[in-house]
């Protein structure tokens, strides 16, 4: 956080934008940016500039990110009231996945979500639910019995434990 002097001479805190490298996905980072916009005291013409300066060059999402933004988006465009949207749109085009690839990746993560031997069942169920929710967020529908079967299949239970659970269903 940085301090900024107001016209009255007092100081107020300016919250730094969310860091792309700390985000799980480009989509979640974009949501964090939208939330940050709700709490920042920065003037509209400085929001995109602050966002651009906070970008890394090296990231799990791609390389030369900051450089590409600075080379492709003028300061005048950044100073516009919705300049930050230009940055978000540019990054989506440069780094984002198309909808089909994203849905496939989410499905792949769901299918291969398996309980590790040293993992608590409660933790695994939470992880499994997270994968299901990520799939539902892109419009994928799945029947309850399929989800139950997938949970049981990937929970690494013994055959007798599965039989006991199945008899109760």
């Amino acid at each position: 956080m940085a301090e900024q002097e107001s016209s009255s001479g007092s100081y107020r805190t300016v919250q730094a934008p969310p860091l792309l490298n700390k985000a799980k996905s480009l989509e979640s980072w974009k949501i964090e940016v939208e939330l940050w916009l709700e709490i920042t005291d920065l003037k509209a013409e400085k929001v995109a500039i602050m966002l651009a300066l906070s970008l890394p060059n090296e990231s799990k999402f791609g390389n030369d990110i900051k450089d590409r933004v600075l080379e492709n988006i003028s300061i005048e465009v950044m100073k516009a009231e919705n300049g930050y949207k230009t940055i978000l749109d540019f990054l989506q085009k440069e780094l984002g996945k198309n909808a089909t690839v994203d849905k496939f990746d989410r499905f792949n993560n769901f299918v291969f979500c398996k309980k590790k031997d040293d993992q608590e069942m409660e933790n695994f169920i939470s992880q499994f639910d997270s994968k299901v929710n990520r799939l539902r967020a892109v419009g994928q529908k799945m029947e309850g019995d399929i989800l139950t079967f997938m949970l049981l299949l990937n929970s690494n239970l013994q055959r007798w434990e599965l039989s006991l659970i199945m008899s109760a269903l």
Side-chain angles (χ1 to χ4, degrees):
M1 288 195 271
E3 288 187 351
Q4 185 176 32
E5 189 171 0
S6 71
S7 59
S8 67
S10 63
Y11 286 91
R12 59 192 165 104
T13 303
V14 175
Q15 178 74 31
L19 299 175
L20 180 60
N21 276 344
K22 296 207 180 234
K24 186 174 185 174
S25 68
L26 180 62
E27 294 306 314
S28 66
W29 178 76
K30 287 168 47 180
I31 292 168
E32 288 180 35
V33 168
E34 295 290 341
L35 292 171
W36 170 72
L37 289 169
E38 295 294 322
I39 63 165
T40 189
D41 290 330
L42 280 175
K43 294 178 183 175
E45 66 268 10
K46 295 186 181 204
V47 167
I49 293 169
M50 179 76 117
L51 191 60
L53 292 174
S54 76
L55 292 171
N57 260 325
E58 305 303 319
S59 171
K60 60 186 171 186
F61 304 109
N63 295 323
D64 303 321
I65 296 170
K66 182 192 290 186
D67 290 342
R68 286 191 276 169
V69 166
L70 297 177
E71 290 167 1
N72 288 283
I73 303 173
S74 71
I75 293 173
E76 292 77 30
V77 170
M78 286 188 209
K79 284 181 160 184
E81 187 170 336
N82 289 323
Y84 78 95
K85 285 188 179 184
T86 304
I87 292 175
L88 296 182
D89 292 344
F90 177 80
L91 292 175
Q92 181 63 43
K93 185 180 81 171
E94 292 285 311
L95 309 174
K97 301 175 187 177
N98 74 35
T100 304
V101 172
D102 184 42
K103 195 172 193 177
F104 175 80
D105 287 346
R106 290 173 190 231
F107 182 76
N108 192 40
N109 287 334
F110 164 72
V111 168
F112 292 103
C113 176
K114 304 214 183 283
K115 182 183 174 294
K116 297 172 183 71
D117 290 336
D118 61 342
Q119 187 177 21
E120 295 289 326
M121 185 58 78
E122 186 175 310
N123 180 270
F124 168 68
I125 292 171
S126 175
Q127 179 184 0
F128 183 86
D129 280 343
S130 174
K131 305 291 183 190
V132 170
N133 290 333
R134 286 185 43 81
L135 260 176
R136 286 182 173 152
V138 292
Q140 182 63 52
K141 293 180 173 70
M142 289 181 283
E143 299 292 325
D145 55 346
I146 297 297
L147 292 174
T148 302
F149 297 154
M150 287 294 295
L151 178 65
L152 293 173
L153 182 67
N154 292 340
S155 63
N156 292 334
L157 295 172
Q158 299 294 320
R159 186 74 181 159
W160 67 270
E161 293 170 306
L162 286 172
S163 296
L164 184 64
I165 292 169
M166 296 297 261
S167 67
L169 294 178

